[in-house]
Amino acid sequence: MDTFEEIQVNGFVDEYIDPSLDLFDEIEKIKKEKNAIILAHYYQEGDIQDIADYIGDSLGLSQQASKTDADVIVFAGVHFMAETAKILSPKKKVLLPDLKAGCSLADSCPPHLFAKFKEQYPDHLVITYVNCTAELKAMSDIVCTSSNAVQIVQSLPPEQKIIFGPDRNLGRFVAKKTGRDLVLWNGACMVHEIFSREKITRLKERYPAAKFIAHPECEDAILEMADYIGSTTGLLNYTINNPAKEFIVATESGILHQMKRDNPTKTFIPAPPNNSCACNDCPHMRRNTLEKLYLCMKNEQPEIFVPEHIIEKAVVPIERMLEISARLGL
């Protein structure tokens, strides 16, 4: 097995796997042996979604991490998600298949710079989007996800001043929906920032009956075109409940796997970015593979650690989010 230092450098366990092994069977065996649960985000590759015990968006994954009876939580997602699970279940072992599965949005908000930003608005309550580091959560009053951001802001007194970060696009969307004047940190997700309005317009002309649906992390120009705006779970539910047969989807393309599984007779077209790729993939989410997931579970490495003093502070705004979400039935 790789040493701790080698895993830190590579980001994952780099070990030979017998090609005759059925990884699905092996992973199921390890789950039973170690009382492990696999939580996977909708943006993971299809094989990982198929082997997961729970698939969801950031809110659903946080809710699962807070109530699981498993001894080991294997998080098939990105680093901040595994950190959130560790904050909510500090006594459990939390594993991430690849430590280098980061997040461009989380990287766009360094905690030391946000601390200085926050000092400029001492009378403001801080709401941070869950797509941020544990350190940033520790500086927050409430954490939110794209599923509950609007409702959380609406639950606060209208006179309450609010800093919202790190995603400026989600912040603008929330401000528009709630009529609140939010102070926004200037961060964004690389995946949701590069959709091409021109290419989407051409796609809509090719598929005139298609519904165009978008995640609120997209820019205003994209959201203005959308028939529906929602979190990954919201987008998925919309495709299930809407009678349309064709959908153009503006978010990370991993969600299409679940959409196709839940709607086998419908057609899903990934909204194109303004580069040469056909669809929009998150390079961080795609670092996790079935092979890395297997080796991670077999060796119980890489493991996620969060300092105790950060856990103590960060758990408060996350639990506040979960409490508000439960009260509102989200």
Side-chain angles (χ1 to χ4, degrees), residues 78-80 100-108 131-132 189 282 284:
V78 293
H79 201 275
F80 77 79
K100 293 187 178 178
C103 173
S104 59
L105 176 55
D107 291 345
S108 75
N131 300 34
C132 66
C189 162
C282 172
H284 298 291

Side-chain angles (χ1 to χ4, degrees), residues 87-281:
I87 291 164
L88 288 166
S89 300
K91 300 208 182 315
K92 298 182 187 297
K93 180 171 279 192
V94 177
L95 307 176
L96 181 67
D98 192 329
L99 284 176
K100 293 187 178 178
C103 173
S104 59
L105 176 55
D107 291 345
S108 75
C109 190
H112 69 287
L113 295 180
F114 188 78
K116 291 180 179 176
F117 180 74
K118 182 182 167 183
E119 284 172 8
Q120 299 172 49
Y121 305 96
D123 57 344
H124 284 53
L125 181 138
V126 177
I127 299 178
T128 50
Y129 187 27
V130 71
N131 300 34
C132 66
T133 62
E135 291 90 342
L136 209 71
K137 291 180 176 75
M139 293 183 214
S140 308
D141 296 295
I142 311 176
V143 168
C144 74
T145 72
S146 54
S147 291
N148 61 23
V150 169
Q151 292 91 332
I152 282 176
V153 169
Q154 286 174 331
S155 75
L156 300 170
E159 67 276 8
Q160 176 63 61
K161 296 177 181 178
I162 299 169
I163 293 173
F164 188 96
D167 192 285
R168 62 175 177 260
N169 294 320
L170 178 60
R172 286 182 191 131
F173 173 75
V174 172
K176 193 175 288 185
K177 294 289 282 186
T178 61
R180 304 288 283 266
D181 184 18
L182 307 179
V183 174
L184 305 179
W185 175 267
N186 191 29
C189 162
M190 60 182 283
V191 173
H192 290 94
E193 282 261 291
I194 62 168
F195 287 112
S196 166
R197 185 180 172 93
E198 183 184 344
K199 289 181 183 177
I200 292 168
T201 300
R202 289 205 295 269
L203 259 186
K204 284 166 70 77
E205 288 169 356
R206 277 178 58 198
Y207 299 93
K211 295 290 185 183
F212 174 52
I213 59 177
H215 193 282
E217 286 180 39
C218 295
E219 293 183 310
D220 274 347
I222 302 300
L223 297 182
E224 285 168 4
M225 304 169 69
D227 296 297
Y228 175 78
I229 301 165
S231 67
T232 42
T233 297
L235 297 176
L236 177 61
N237 289 338
Y238 183 83
T239 65
I240 293 169
N241 298 322
N242 192 282
K245 294 296 182 186
E246 298 172 331
F247 298 85
I248 299 167
V249 184
T251 191
E252 212 278 347
S253 59
I255 187 64
L256 271 66
H257 178 75
Q258 205 63 32
M259 288 177 172
K260 289 170 184 173
R261 278 184 58 174
D262 289 345
N263 304 279
T265 63
K266 296 183 180 182
T267 300
F268 299 94
I269 307 119
N274 54 19
N275 55 31
S276 58
C277 298
C279 61
N280 223 17
D281 298 338

